[in-house]
Amino acid sequence: RKPQTRKLILKLLDTTVEAFGQGIIHVGGDEPFELKDVLGIEEATRLYVEHFNWLNGEVKKRGCKMMIYADMFTDIWSGTHASFDSIKGLDSDIGFVYWNYDIKDDLKDIKDLAESGLEFYVSPSTLSFARFFPALVCAYDKCRLLAKQGAGNSSAIIISSWNDGGT
């Protein structure tokens, strides 16, 4: 909501495009549950959609495509998300990344994304928290299950290793 924040974001965006060139830029947008806790789900959703539509416009002005985590609209954090229908408020050319630590044989979120017609990618957890290398057995199972569910529906699978020292 602060103009100086948008100025900083534009500087970061320009620096990123200058350093890496045009292409897909993943802008994050994950773990938005704290917005809901502070603002309530309706206001948090409104501001989230407004902000990322603005950012998508800026990304496109620089000849790039925007990718964003789907957390705000999917049930990754058990009941902390906006309604899935509110995803329709975002620009339709945004690519969504669906990730999940708890991969099950049947995820409603993937079905919802597939039926929406929106472009999305699946990104299984590799459980690399607090370690240099993923926990391979767990990572294999999660990659296999999420890739199976995304097959024929998602645009790609993205494997990431965050190594951010989680709990």
Side-chain angles (χ1 to χ4, degrees):
R1 292 191 264 187
K2 296 180 179 179
Q4 61 268 38
T5 301
R6 287 191 171 187
K7 287 179 186 176
L8 173 63
I9 290 169
L10 293 177
K11 285 181 184 178
L12 292 170
L13 184 56
D14 288 338
T15 300
T16 301
V17 174
E18 182 180 321
F20 298 101
Q22 294 177 330
I24 297 174
I25 297 179
H26 192 311
V27 299
D30 59 328
E31 303 180 11
F33 50 85
E34 291 166 345
L35 283 173
K36 180 201 76 127
D37 293 345
V38 173
L39 302 170
I41 194 64
E42 291 81 17
E43 181 65 3
T45 303
R46 185 188 71 73
L47 287 173
Y48 188 93
V49 167
E50 177 186 294
H51 174 75
F52 285 105
N53 280 339
W54 166 79
L55 185 54
N56 187 46
E58 294 298 327
V59 167
K60 287 192 289 191
K61 285 179 189 176
R62 288 153 179 84
C64 297
K65 177 176 174 39
M66 191 168 96
M67 182 184 287
I68 187 173
Y69 284 118
D71 297 26
M72 185 67 165
F73 312 100
T74 56
D75 199 20
I76 294 169
W77 294 106
S78 187
T80 62
H81 61 292
S83 72
F84 186 79
D85 284 341
S86 59
I87 201 170
K88 295 173 186 169
L90 284 168
D91 295 341
S92 62
D93 60 347
I94 295 172
F96 295 91
V97 178
Y98 177 79
W99 65 275
N100 198 317
Y101 291 132
D102 187 24
I103 305 303
K104 302 170 188 158
D105 287 326
D106 186 29
L107 289 169
K108 181 181 180 313
D109 294 329
I110 291 179
K111 288 180 183 174
D112 288 344
L113 285 163
E115 289 173 5
S116 74
L118 297 168
E119 179 180 23
F120 76 100
Y121 310 84
V122 293
S123 185
S125 162
T126 56
L127 291 183
S128 55
F129 290 125
R131 40 174 89 81
F132 181 71
F133 203 71
L136 292 179
V137 172
C138 185
Y140 171 79
D141 287 341
K142 290 180 179 295
C143 291
R144 182 181 54 80
L145 284 170
L146 197 54
K148 179 181 175 184
Q149 292 182 58
N153 296 312
S154 66
S155 297
I157 185 169
I158 300 170
I159 307 293
S160 58
S161 181
W162 297 307
N163 292 0
D164 62 357
T167 57

